[in-house]
Amino acid sequence: EILLSLKFFEADPHTHLLAGLIFSGRNKYLKAMNHYKRALELDPKFYEVKNNLGTIYLALGQWERAIILFTGLIKVLEYRTPAMGHNNLGWAYYKLGKIALAKRSFLTAIQLNPRLCPPYNNVGLIYLEEKDLMNAQRFLERGIKRCPRYAEPYLHLGKTHLRQRQLLEANKYLQQCKKLSPDTSLGIRCEQMLIKIQ
């Protein structure tokens, strides 16, 4: 129906946004990208679309393009969700191995919006990789406290406790991860870790 409506009136950025969201949800990233770009041609100040285009770059592993987009976006005063922009920017830096910049972006996201869940997980993941288990646990637990149904921090908390040989605690978090994300790649990872420790 959305594509049909575009045949009648193509120059509507909101309809292109909806089309982009649908294609993105179906992992048809190139089609989603085309609709987001067209929406921005029609309305260059449609910052929600610009954020969504950046997430397409992240999904496609186009880290440098994502960094350019999000770096510009977070400077725009009218952009209403800068915490999301900082978190997404941090993820692009993280994937490029620019860990200090990634951590700074994630911490800025938390400061701007303490209710946003992914930055807690992402900072915890960095601390876990740096073998700073105390800070990893602190941020991951804060993430779970704010977003108890967000599954990924449970996986990383499980890893944190495994590294400290706290098998009961690790088992508890991995079980919750598996419960919250059944039949997903994340849930399968948690299940595989559970098998190893039993």
Side-chain angles (χ1 to χ4, degrees):
E1 288 181 12
I2 288 169
L3 294 177
L4 185 62
S5 72
L6 284 172
K7 286 184 179 179
F8 290 103
F9 183 60
E10 190 276 338
D12 180 23
H14 294 278
T15 308
H16 282 287
L17 167 62
L18 291 173
L21 288 170
I22 290 169
F23 282 124
S24 180
R26 295 178 177 176
N27 298 328
K28 295 183 178 180
Y29 297 125
L30 295 179
K31 288 186 177 182
M33 184 189 300
N34 290 335
H35 284 286
Y36 291 147
K37 285 183 174 180
R38 179 60 180 143
L40 287 170
E41 286 174 8
L42 296 166
D43 182 0
K45 293 186 176 181
F46 201 166
Y47 300 119
E48 181 185 353
V49 171
K50 192 167 276 194
N51 179 76
N52 291 358
L53 177 60
T55 62
I56 295 295
Y57 292 151
L58 293 177
L60 294 173
Q62 297 179 3
W63 315 120
E64 291 89 355
R65 291 178 84 177
I67 287 169
I68 291 168
L69 188 147
F70 288 118
T71 300
L73 185 59
I74 61 177
K75 293 176 183 174
V76 176
L77 293 176
E78 295 87 357
Y79 178 45
R80 292 181 299 172
T81 55
M84 289 175 58
H86 280 280
N87 182 67
N88 290 334
L89 176 62
W91 191 250
Y93 280 135
Y94 172 76
K95 296 302 282 187
L96 283 175
K98 297 180 178 182
I99 302 304
L101 289 171
K103 190 186 293 184
R104 186 183 330 154
S105 295
F106 295 143
L107 291 171
T108 301
I110 291 170
Q111 186 178 17
L112 289 171
N113 183 358
R115 295 186 304 273
L116 188 63
C117 304
Y120 293 101
N121 177 72
N122 297 338
V123 174
L125 176 60
I126 287 175
Y127 280 124
L128 180 60
E129 291 179 359
E130 292 175 341
K131 298 182 174 58
D132 184 346
L133 300 183
M134 185 180 73
N135 276 318
Q137 188 170 331
R138 182 165 62 96
F139 276 93
L140 293 167
E141 286 176 350
R142 283 173 67 191
I144 286 173
K145 184 177 180 181
R146 293 180 187 279
C147 311
R149 299 203 55 76
Y150 179 34
E152 190 171 344
Y154 291 97
L155 166 64
H156 300 310
L157 263 174
K159 290 180 182 178
T160 302
H161 286 287
L162 275 177
R163 290 190 184 175
Q164 298 172 81
R165 300 176 191 241
Q166 298 167 344
L167 298 184
L168 288 176
E169 285 294 302
N171 184 73
K172 178 180 79 172
Y173 287 115
L174 293 171
Q175 289 286 358
Q176 187 64 11
C177 170
K178 179 183 166 186
K179 178 181 175 184
L180 289 171
S181 56
D183 305 319
T184 67
S185 59
L186 178 65
I188 291 168
R189 284 169 64 194
C190 292
E191 187 173 8
Q192 288 172 341
M193 290 186 71
L194 280 166
I195 291 169
K196 287 180 182 177
I197 65 175
Q198 287 173 353

